[in-house]
Amino acid sequence: MWVRFKKLFIDDFNIISHEKTLYVSALILFILFILLKLIFPPLAHFILSKSGFVLDNYYSLVTITFVAIIPALIGMMYAHILLNEKSLHPLPPNEITLAIKRNILYMRMIISSFLSFVLVLITILLTNPVPTEGWLRTLLAAILFSIQAPLVSLFIGVLSKNRVAGVSLSWLWLIFLIAVPFGLLVHHPWNYLVFCSPLYWIAWTWIVPSPLESLVYGTIAVFLSAVILIFLSSRKLKEPFG
């Protein structure tokens, strides 16, 4: 099992390494994080001195939104693999069983979640999006954000039939990220519009002061993510391999 897991990871990584668009996107995101860390404090001080506007109040909003982009990028990488797995990993049709398809899919879900978790955790340590919360809440948020990576890959890989449609759905998912700032900024009843997004509940899990409310919101995020993942993975397993 471990040998197959390792081989799949190496094969997929070799495929992803040739995706220049994803490299550029990751580089841009990294530069934005650095700029955010270096420029935001003096910029906030300057604006406060000139206008009295407290830009620091929006630091968490901006950084949480950026953190939410990381699992989306990882998910898009693996969506590319799902859309092209027949040509990328050619296997004789008589060797493709439901068990093999299930194992490959589940391993990719685990790998994408793990990669996302590592990158999200590093980013959180560098930027400290929610300084008021301790390490336990931060760890929970990192885990919840990480499980969005396989959700994104399945959303794109299942609902699109070719690379062009996959690119369109990738942009659509990036628009869905508006659920994070929108949900944190607006009040009832407008926030009802993003109640169906796990990202909304993850953001509130991270920043809400009450531990009990955080647990409730985290549970909702897990439930919504699980429902979507189960639905999409079942659809994927019913498709022909590749």
Side-chain angles (χ1 to χ4, degrees), residues 1-172:
M1 183 68 179
W2 168 249
V3 174
R4 182 181 294 178
F5 187 90
K6 181 180 178 181
K7 184 179 184 303
L8 185 67
F9 176 79
I10 294 174
D11 289 346
D12 288 350
F13 182 80
N14 288 334
I15 296 164
I16 292 171
S17 65
H18 293 88
E19 283 294 296
K20 296 180 180 179
T21 303
L22 294 172
Y23 274 134
V24 173
S25 300
L27 179 61
I28 292 174
L29 185 62
F30 178 75
I31 292 173
L32 286 175
F33 275 123
I34 298 300
L35 292 176
L36 183 66
K37 188 66 176 178
L38 296 177
I39 296 177
F40 198 94
L43 179 63
H45 178 73
F46 175 78
I47 293 177
L48 179 64
S49 63
K50 294 297 182 180
S51 64
F53 181 77
V54 185
L55 186 62
D56 280 329
N57 292 341
Y58 297 90
Y59 178 77
S60 292
L61 174 72
V62 175
T63 48
I64 291 174
T65 303
F66 280 171
V67 168
I69 297 175
I70 295 174
L73 289 177
I74 299 294
M76 290 172 191
M77 293 179 186
Y78 273 84
H80 166 71
I81 294 174
L82 292 179
L83 288 171
N84 299 276
E85 59 188 352
K86 187 174 182 180
S87 57
L88 297 173
H89 298 297
L91 289 173
N94 59 335
E95 292 186 14
I96 305 300
T97 65
L98 180 59
I100 291 176
K101 289 172 60 178
R102 186 184 295 112
N103 288 338
I104 290 175
L105 180 62
Y106 290 169
M107 282 192 287
R108 283 182 174 145
M109 290 171 66
I110 293 171
I111 293 170
S112 61
S113 295
F114 175 74
L115 290 176
S116 181
F117 176 77
V118 172
L119 294 177
V120 165
L121 198 58
I122 291 173
T123 303
I124 290 174
L125 293 175
L126 291 175
T127 59
N128 194 19
V130 189
T132 57
E133 299 301 335
W135 68 269
L136 189 60
R137 186 81 68 88
T138 298
L139 184 62
L140 174 61
I143 294 172
L144 292 176
F145 273 121
S146 299
I147 62 177
Q148 302 307 303
L151 193 155
V152 173
S153 65
L154 285 170
F155 174 81
I156 298 171
V158 172
L159 299 183
S160 55
K161 299 302 181 183
N162 52 58
R163 188 180 177 87
V164 175
V167 171
S168 300
L169 283 175
S170 297
W171 282 107
L172 178 62

